Amino acid sequence: MSRIAMDTRAQNSWKELIEKEAATRIACKLKQEEVSKNEDEWFDRTKYKLKKPLTGNLPTSLKFPPRPNKTNTIEEIERLTEQLKNSGENLLTDMKKPKEKVQALLYEGFTKEGKGRYQYLKERKLEDPENKYEYPLLNSFEYGWKLNEVAQQYKTPTHGRGRIVEESFYRRNGVF
């Protein structure tokens, strides 16, 4: 934001405008406080009393169901974890496991050398989303999901436009 070039007279008028605005705000606030005092008088709570107390219909004590006994011991949890690992199912992630060849790149060299994690992520990025994920995670994924299948069905039009003029008339050195 650019600054405004001001001389002494302009600064004084600016200062006067700010002070005037502040005084107007204070006067308005004081006026609103006087009006709000009178507005509260229209509703006198002592005139209106309830015949029945509000809490009469509510139960005085709440009964919660008993807590279930925790039977999962550490050994049982470890056993279930091993079963899940041995089953080979990937239940907790949305991403499919990478191929063994690609996963082996993680353990070859360092990222700083352009190997290891860097090479793994580079290879993983080249894969199509259909091969990386079980299903489209975002709405934007749905637009290109399974696009390769549709592209194989697409055929070029027989009477489509071509680049005859561009290829034959224009020169390669960029003059024309």
Side-chain angles (χ1 to χ4, degrees):
M1 189 171 160
S2 64
R3 294 188 172 210
I4 303 169
M6 291 188 153
D7 58 349
T8 307
R9 193 174 68 186
Q11 285 178 348
N12 288 339
S13 65
W14 187 264
K15 182 180 173 183
E16 188 180 321
L17 279 171
I18 292 172
E19 288 173 355
K20 196 174 190 181
E21 185 178 332
T24 307
R25 286 182 180 172
I26 290 170
C28 183
K29 185 174 189 289
L30 292 173
K31 188 177 178 182
Q32 287 296 324
E33 285 178 357
E34 289 177 17
V35 171
S36 66
K37 286 179 185 175
N38 296 335
E39 285 182 0
D40 289 341
E41 292 174 2
W42 69 271
F43 182 74
D44 187 12
R45 292 176 190 240
T46 57
K47 292 180 185 175
Y48 304 100
K49 290 191 177 182
L50 296 173
K51 295 177 182 176
K52 294 181 180 178
L54 289 175
T55 59
N57 298 334
L58 297 175
T60 55
S61 64
L62 298 174
K63 294 180 181 177
F64 293 103
R67 285 188 172 183
N69 294 335
K70 292 185 179 180
T71 57
N72 294 341
T73 60
I74 294 172
E75 295 85 17
E76 189 176 351
I77 292 172
E78 289 175 355
R79 183 181 55 81
L80 292 172
T81 307
E82 284 298 318
Q83 272 185 345
L84 185 63
K85 284 181 183 177
N86 294 337
S87 68
E89 293 182 25
N90 200 1
L91 301 175
L92 302 176
T93 60
D94 300 321
M95 207 173 221
K96 292 180 183 177
K97 283 189 175 182
K99 298 174 187 169
E100 290 179 16
K101 179 183 171 187
V102 175
Q103 193 166 8
L105 293 173
L106 276 172
Y107 308 106
E108 296 176 7
F110 299 101
T111 301
K112 200 169 191 179
E113 298 171 348
K115 297 179 181 176
R117 182 173 180 261
Y118 175 79
Q119 190 66 28
Y120 167 78
L121 292 173
K122 192 175 178 184
E123 288 293 321
R124 193 77 168 144
K125 183 174 67 173
L126 297 175
E127 283 187 42
D128 293 334
E130 299 91 36
N131 299 335
K132 283 194 282 190
Y133 300 101
E134 298 288 338
Y135 54 89
L137 297 177
L138 308 170
N139 286 343
S140 59
F141 276 22
E142 292 176 9
Y143 292 111
W145 201 257
K146 306 280 185 185
L147 190 62
N148 292 337
E149 295 174 5
V150 177
Q152 291 173 357
Q153 297 171 359
Y154 177 75
K155 297 176 184 174
T156 56
T158 53
H159 302 291
R161 297 180 185 202
R163 299 176 163 197
I164 297 169
V165 174
E166 185 177 331
E167 291 171 356
S168 62
F169 182 72
Y170 291 108
R171 296 181 186 175
R172 292 184 185 182
N173 61 6
V175 176
F176 246 100

